[in-house]
Amino acid sequence: MVRIKDVAERAGVSVGTVSKVINNTEGVSRKTKAAVLKVIAELNYHPNLYARNMRAKSSRTIGIFVPLINEPYFLPFYDGINKRLEQIGYTPILFSGITQQSSEGTLDLLSQMMHRNLDGLIVSTYGWDDKTIVKLARMAEEIPVVSYKRKFEDSPIHSVGVDDFEGMYRAASHLLQIGHKHIAYMNAAPELETSRQRLGGYRKALADHGVEERPEYIVDCPSYRIMDGYHYAHRALQTRPLPTAIIGGNDTLAIGVMKYLQELQMRIPHDIAVMGYDELPLAQLMSPQLSTMSLPTDEMTALAVDLIAGSVGAGEPARHHAFDTRLIVRGSTDMTAKVHLDYP
């Protein structure tokens, strides 16, 4: 199948220029336009449904792909996007699938998306394999695509996320600064770049504080689900010396760890402190409340929407935005911390 990228390469122009020619918009010289049209004819290129719809006005719809809509980890992502879409008068179209179990199912969903008149797509790529990412990059040549929390180098996919290396560095440093030297780490989905960045931050914090890294303290978990934290916490407790603190690669893992420790009648943080990452609403409902790194989810999701709604078009160079995280100290690491609820 001939792609818009193939046309651009043959004509010696950018994908954005080809898109302008297809849509008959201004900003392309007569000579360049003629050259692009000649290549389109030579390659027998046929723009997809979305490219044809671009000649009409915006549909004011944005697709949202959420791998696991019923998981707490993804709810702030979906809610934040919906909030911003409502503010600016756009309509969401939700796509969801358990990508870890069916790569082909995800590819089918991506194909369905291209037959919708979407102004763009915002996606969490959790669990996606390389073949699916390649398909997404091809889509990004035709419509604006924003990846949430994951950055792709040398790709037309835009991204909105945080500095996960620095965020986890600060999370581990908090525990080190209050005296912990034996800190276990629940490493979710190790194959993901987000996970690699967070693990790197944990390791760097140990090194900078003069604490030797112990490989047995790093517990790999298959995913970010609460039950993974619960089921894999026992591995951290089999190590000696026993950890005095455990960091979850995200809040849901940390919450699973807390549940397991409490069933063993271990006191948090007296016996073992627990640290999370992501600041999910559930973190404040735990007893004790979970210390975590807060992500500016509303700002991140709003920017993801705004990139598509008014800032980027198909074929433009990818833009990447990394927000800062904020340390939230609560009772799971500091027994003197006051209980406080920020959510109505």
Side-chain angles (χ1 to χ4, degrees), residues 182-242:
H182 303 291
I183 304 172
Y185 183 80
M186 309 298 290
N187 185 31
E191 71 280 2
L192 299 182
E193 179 60 24
T194 297
S195 299
R196 288 193 285 268
Q197 290 295 319
R198 294 182 185 183
L199 178 60
Y202 159 81
R203 285 173 161 160
K204 184 67 163 54
L206 294 180
D208 285 356
H209 288 79
V211 175
E212 181 182 359
E213 179 185 324
R214 303 176 66 92
E216 64 271 24
Y217 280 171
I218 299 174
V219 178
D220 289 341
C221 304
S223 78
Y224 282 99
R225 297 186 179 189
I226 289 175
M227 293 311 295
D228 285 315
Y230 177 84
H231 287 303
Y232 284 81
H234 75 93
R235 295 190 181 181
L237 299 186
Q238 290 175 346
T239 59
R240 293 295 181 272
L242 190 71

Side-chain angles (χ1 to χ4, degrees), residues 11-53:
V13 299
S14 69
V15 172
T17 297
V18 177
S19 180
K20 288 180 179 179
V21 172
I22 291 171
N23 298 313
N24 197 28
T25 56
E26 298 179 357
V28 182
S29 70
R30 190 175 302 175
K31 181 179 178 181
T32 299
K33 183 175 181 180
V36 171
L37 289 173
K38 181 182 178 182
V39 171
I40 288 175
E42 290 173 349
L43 297 180
N44 194 27
Y45 171 66
H46 297 284
N48 65 17
L49 179 61
Y50 178 82
R52 293 197 296 273
N53 283 331

Side-chain angles (χ1 to χ4, degrees), residues 121-123 125 144-153 155-162 300 303-304 307 312 317-323:
L121 175 66
I122 303 171
V123 58
T125 60
V145 175
V146 179
S147 168
Y148 186 73
K149 288 189 179 179
R150 187 175 177 186
K151 178 181 177 181
F152 298 98
E153 299 289 353
S155 168
I157 302 170
H158 307 277
S159 69
V160 174
V162 297
M300 292 164 62
L303 177 58
L307 281 171
V312 297
R319 302 183 189 179
H320 304 290
H321 300 265
F323 289 81

Side-chain angles (χ1 to χ4, degrees), residues 83-102:
K83 184 187 302 182
R84 183 57 179 161
L85 290 174
E86 184 177 353
Q87 289 172 348
I88 64 174
Y90 273 66
T91 300
I93 298 181
L94 175 65
F95 301 89
S96 182
I98 305 178
T99 59
Q100 307 96 301
Q101 297 180 4
S102 176

